[in-house]
Amino acid sequence: MIDLHMHTTYSDGTDTVKELLEKAEDLDLEVISITDHNTCKAYFEMEKFNVKEIYHGDIIVGCEFTTSFDNRLIEVLGYGFDYKNINKYLEEFYSDELVNKRTNILYNRLLDKIKELDLEFHLERVRDKKFKNEFFERGIYEELVKYESNKEKLKEDIWSSFSNFYRKGLTNPKSKLFINHAEFKPSIKEIVNLIHENGGIAFLAHPYQYKFTDTESFLDKLYNEVALDGVESYYTTFSKEQTSYLFDFAKKRNLLISGGSDYHGTRKENHNLGIGRGNLKISKDIISNYKIEKYY
């Protein structure tokens, strides 16, 4: 059993690198990939200790890159690349100065949208971020969702969870709450080229997790325009029908498949390492055609 999608404290997970390796060992996972958001720092840390004393399986270098396509925010999973070169790019693109600047713009856009839509909202009641990499929008969502009147004023399917608020609202061009995160992310073509230039392979992450209303046609357009190597077909929240569709999509186009739990420790419920919601048991066979080098 393998898991190619997980996060540590270097992005928004709650486990350190060593804690994650210990858990992977306890679960007898044969192959893993740590795929923190927009950073490869976990692999630099692993240079400093003997990984095999903690985890005896194989590790594939990985990262989950936030990208844009057609003015939509999507993620790409890169595997088997030169993480030192890739991280140089990421540290420049996501420098503290640039991140703060972009975040302030998005923050003010969201406050303007709230005012424009006349939603009930009290800025002074918005809680502080619980951790450095937490989305600033989460505290705003928790304030907005307190008031039933907001659901009446904005009759969109965004109120049941923060995931819906973010995916179906803030990053959805069709929503009245759209604030265009994609403007501040690299294009998917840029990221895929970066991965390929550094010896890696690129997969579209969790296609159905974006909650698009046109996922299948979106996949077709993406395939026709971007040189992806594969698609993440096993994922914690996918139904059997969705997984089956992605298998067929990949097979017809000679694409690779990947899969993982998207484990974040305690920050995502039921995304359990290796097994997701109990629905994952991903075979090592899916990586047999990955033409990449393993980290260990």
Side-chain angles (χ1 to χ4, degrees), residues 161-205:
S161 67
F162 177 71
S163 177
N164 276 7
F165 181 75
Y166 187 80
R167 296 288 191 188
K168 295 185 176 183
L170 305 182
T171 61
N172 175 13
K174 297 179 181 178
S175 171
K176 291 180 179 178
L177 269 182
F178 179 60
I179 58 174
N180 200 11
H181 278 258
E183 177 184 345
F184 302 111
K185 303 300 179 185
S187 73
I188 188 171
K189 290 182 180 179
E190 181 179 352
I191 290 300
V192 170
N193 288 339
L194 180 71
I195 294 167
H196 287 163
E197 288 166 2
N198 285 279
I201 51 179
F203 293 69
L204 175 66

Side-chain angles (χ1 to χ4, degrees), residues 11 23 25 27 34 47-48 54 100 116 128 138 145 147 149 164 171 176-177 189 193 199 212 233-234 240 247 264 288:
S11 58
K23 289 180 180 179
E25 177 71 11
L27 291 169
I34 294 174
E47 293 177 357
K48 299 175 183 177
I54 301 174
N100 289 337
E116 176 188 326
D128 293 333
R138 188 177 287 273
V145 80
Y147 311 106
S149 60
N164 276 7
T171 61
K176 291 180 179 178
L177 269 182
K189 290 182 180 179
N193 288 339
F212 297 153
S233 303
Y234 291 103
K240 290 181 180 178
F247 283 166
H264 281 69
S288 60

Side-chain angles (χ1 to χ4, degrees), residues 84-251:
K84 293 180 180 178
N85 279 344
I86 292 278
N87 211 59
K88 289 178 185 176
Y89 168 91
L90 292 171
E91 288 191 336
E92 289 179 9
F93 194 93
Y94 291 101
S95 68
D96 288 344
E97 180 182 357
L98 289 175
V99 168
N100 289 337
K101 181 179 179 180
R102 295 165 187 153
T103 300
N104 286 335
I105 292 171
L106 291 167
Y107 176 82
N108 287 317
R109 281 183 187 174
L110 182 51
L111 294 186
D112 287 344
K113 287 282 186 180
I114 291 169
K115 185 176 180 180
E116 176 188 326
L117 294 167
D118 193 30
L119 300 178
E120 185 168 355
F121 178 73
H122 304 277
L123 183 59
E124 69 277 8
R125 297 179 187 173
V126 175
R127 65 166 176 80
D128 293 333
K129 290 168 67 172
K130 293 180 179 178
F131 57 97
K132 181 182 177 182
N133 293 314
E134 184 178 30
F135 289 10
F136 75 85
E137 299 97 336
R138 188 177 287 273
I140 292 176
Y141 164 74
E142 290 174 7
E143 166 63 14
L144 287 170
V145 80
K146 293 175 184 176
Y147 311 106
E148 288 297 320
S149 60
N150 290 337
K151 300 173 187 178
E152 291 299 317
K153 290 176 181 176
L154 187 55
K155 293 177 185 276
E156 295 182 12
D157 181 24
I158 62 171
W159 299 110
S160 61
S161 67
F162 177 71
S163 177
N164 276 7
F165 181 75
Y166 187 80
R167 296 288 191 188
K168 295 185 176 183
L170 305 182
T171 61
N172 175 13
K174 297 179 181 178
S175 171
K176 291 180 179 178
L177 269 182
F178 179 60
I179 58 174
N180 200 11
H181 278 258
E183 177 184 345
F184 302 111
K185 303 300 179 185
S187 73
I188 188 171
K189 290 182 180 179
E190 181 179 352
I191 290 300
V192 170
N193 288 339
L194 180 71
I195 294 167
H196 287 163
E197 288 166 2
N198 285 279
I201 51 179
F203 293 69
L204 175 66
H206 45 51
Y208 287 102
Q209 188 66 5
Y210 306 118
K211 305 182 180 181
F212 297 153
T213 57
D214 60 344
T215 299
E216 290 78 17
S217 59
F218 179 81
L219 282 168
D220 289 334
K221 181 175 175 60
L222 193 62
Y223 172 77
N224 290 331
E225 297 185 25
V226 182
L228 285 164
D229 300 288
V231 59
E232 186 175 34
S233 303
Y234 291 103
Y235 187 74
T236 297
T237 64
F238 289 175
S239 66
K240 290 181 180 178
E241 292 76 18
Q242 289 171 336
T243 297
S244 178
Y245 182 88
L246 294 172
F247 283 166
D248 290 342
F249 177 86
K251 184 176 181 180

